[in-house]
Amino acid sequence: MEYHADINWPDFIQRYWQKRPVVLKRGIKDFVDPISPDELAGLAMENEVDSRLVSHLDGKWQVSHGPFQSYDHLSESNWSLLVQAVNHWHQPAAALMRPFRALPDWRTDDLMISFSVPGGGVGPHLDQYDVFIIQGTGRRRWRVGEKTTLKQHCPHPDLLQVDPFEAIIDEELEPGDILYIPPGFPHEGYSLENSLNYSVGFRAPSGREMISGFADYVLQRELGSQRYSDPDVPQREHPADILPQEVDKLREMMLGLISQPEQFKEWLGEFISQSRHELDVAPPEPPYQPDEIYDALKQGDKLARLGGLRVLRIGEDVYANGEKINSPHRPALEALASHIVLSGEMFGDALEDPSFLAMLAALVNSGYWFFED
């Protein structure tokens, strides 16, 4: 199913994006759930899927992590099942990510889906990323507060909450309604009846994550091997002193690694195109031969991108899941990055190049793209 968000994106970005929370009533008209509660519960029983159960009974918060064996012990109220990165594992649910491609792909993270019974929720909290919460089946009440300094506490080791707050938004969401919350705005939602919620989250890398990722890149490639040198070592009054010019020179050595544009671009492409969650990679058996790929595309078959696969472009270079895709056929590379579903025509004359076909076959045989049924 195709979903369309009734959002004026230029106006939304100017007024709300990273500025103010807002409820978009009937943001997706005639909304139909792409997944059932039973299907979601089944995903949470899989080893590879990140899931958790959060309950609030007798004044105590409890958190347990999947995979789950059974749900027979659960009551009829005050719990939620949350499953991360459902777009990686469930193709119909992955379609919910597409209406938000008005925002950059590299900022998009994953689709978290929660099923809650009456009273179910995770308590008042705040996030450090943008999120669009789409209401599915059922009704859920949401409260959002002003962005301010709030004391955080842990009622459970796996649960970080904030103190009570004054609400600037207090609404019941119905199917198709969208709640947008920028980073840092406290919020809480609890279910009024059995309900499904779909959270499209956005990635916001921290400086710490980027420094750590770049350090890994430098070590893997054995870069930065040049050592400090000082043939004209300056005199100083105290041997223990490190002089300001020496501090500057050491800092410049480090900045010099990051300041090389091509090297930084290659690292960024690899770093930012990696998924934070496991992908449902299923390489075809037997693997495709390049001529089979050619014949299938020429006959009208279409290649679909694996759910959750991050395909990003920097300049003319395209990266997928931490790897650069090497090819001189720029329009074909642009098609790989721009389209979720690909037809043969989108590749143009690249399909006549055996080297491109071999590369495309390698991507399909890696499980990154697959032929639609």
Side-chain angles (χ1 to χ4, degrees):
M1 181 175 180
E2 289 191 19
Y3 295 93
H4 300 280
D6 188 16
I7 299 175
N8 180 329
W9 285 106
D11 179 71
F12 174 85
I13 290 169
Q14 182 180 10
R15 296 173 62 187
Y16 300 111
W17 177 251
Q18 299 224 314
K19 304 173 187 72
R20 303 290 299 169
V22 64
V23 172
L24 305 169
K25 298 296 289 184
R26 303 294 185 271
I28 298 180
K29 295 177 180 176
D30 303 317
F31 184 82
V32 176
D33 290 284
I35 194 171
S36 69
D38 285 345
E39 288 177 294
L40 189 70
L43 279 177
M45 301 175 86
E46 300 291 336
N47 288 325
E48 301 85 358
V49 178
D50 183 7
S51 61
R52 57 184 172 139
L53 270 168
V54 180
S55 62
H56 188 215
L57 300 170
D58 301 323
K60 293 183 178 180
W61 289 93
Q62 295 293 332
V63 181
S64 54
H65 296 270
F68 300 104
Q69 303 298 319
S70 170
Y71 303 98
D72 294 341
H73 63 289
L74 297 173
S75 66
E76 294 183 358
S77 63
N78 297 336
W79 60 264
S80 291
L81 172 66
L82 303 97
V83 184
Q84 292 289 156
V86 179
N87 55 309
H88 294 202
W89 305 96
H90 191 272
Q91 286 300 122
L96 265 179
M97 304 290 286
R98 298 183 194 178
F100 300 95
R101 293 192 78 200
L103 296 163
D105 283 349
W106 79 267
R107 289 282 272 115
T108 307
D109 198 357
D110 73 327
L111 176 70
M112 189 272 287
I113 302 181
S114 66
F115 172 73
S116 302
V117 296
V122 299
H125 64 285
L126 53 84
D127 298 313
Q128 298 303 326
Y129 52 84
D130 302 87
V131 62
F132 291 87
I133 302 172
I134 306 160
Q135 181 65 44
T137 293
R139 293 179 303 124
R140 192 176 178 99
R141 181 183 175 188
W142 283 95
R143 298 179 67 253
V144 185
E146 190 62 80
K147 187 175 184 178
T148 184
T149 301
L150 286 172
K151 185 178 179 181
Q152 299 190 71
H153 59 276
C154 293
H156 182 279
D158 293 334
L159 207 57
L160 184 62
Q161 296 182 350
V162 296
D163 288 341
F165 55 84
E166 293 285 333
I168 57 175
I169 290 177
D170 189 340
E171 289 202 37
E172 291 182 14
L173 265 59
E174 297 178 338
D177 292 345
I178 301 174
L179 170 62
Y180 165 71
I181 308 173
F185 283 81
H187 54 280
E188 64 173 334
Y190 56 88
S191 194
L192 303 174
E193 56 193 26
N194 288 358
S195 64
L196 284 165
N197 279 90
Y198 305 85
S199 299
V200 179
F202 284 75
R203 179 178 296 195
S206 67
R208 179 171 55 196
E209 289 173 323
M210 290 190 289
I211 289 292
S212 175
F214 190 76
D216 290 341
Y217 176 87
V218 168
L219 292 173
Q220 289 167 3
R221 285 160 179 76
E222 299 183 352
L223 303 175
S225 57
Q226 180 180 353
R227 291 186 175 273
Y228 181 86
S229 64
D230 51 1
D232 298 314
V233 59
Q235 296 295 310
R236 64 210 70 206
E237 184 177 353
H238 299 288
D241 289 346
I242 303 176
L243 300 182
Q245 60 266 40
E246 294 173 318
V247 173
D248 290 343
K249 187 173 181 179
L250 288 165
R251 186 178 66 252
E252 287 166 5
M253 283 180 65
M254 296 181 67
L255 291 175
L257 286 171
I258 297 176
S259 298
Q260 299 178 40
E262 285 303 311
Q263 191 166 277
F264 183 82
K265 184 179 76 171
E266 183 173 334
W267 162 75
L268 181 62
E270 294 180 6
F271 172 79
I272 210 71
S273 66
Q274 293 179 44
S275 173
R276 293 194 306 112
H277 299 276
E278 191 165 343
L279 296 169
D280 185 19
V281 177
E285 288 293 342
Y288 283 94
Q289 298 300 314
D291 60 331
E292 294 176 308
I293 301 283
Y294 178 89
D295 291 341
L297 288 171
K298 287 295 185 180
Q299 290 167 12
D301 291 351
K302 294 184 178 181
L303 281 172
R305 183 190 297 178
L306 179 69
L309 181 72
R310 296 173 66 80
V311 186
L312 304 170
R313 188 168 60 144
I314 303 179
E316 295 185 340
D317 295 330
V318 172
Y319 298 82
N321 198 35
E323 300 177 12
K324 184 178 177 180
I325 301 177
N326 289 306
S327 173
H329 297 280
R330 299 305 175 193
L333 286 181
E334 181 180 346
L336 284 171
S338 299
H339 300 283
I340 305 297
V341 178
L342 294 152
S343 62
E345 293 82 4
M346 294 177 180
F347 293 110
D349 58 6
L351 289 183
E352 307 303 326
D353 181 351
S355 64
F356 179 83
L357 272 178
M359 181 273 294
L360 187 58
L363 292 172
V364 173
N365 291 330
S366 295
Y368 290 167
W369 276 267
F370 59 91
F371 282 105
E372 286 189 317
D373 293 333

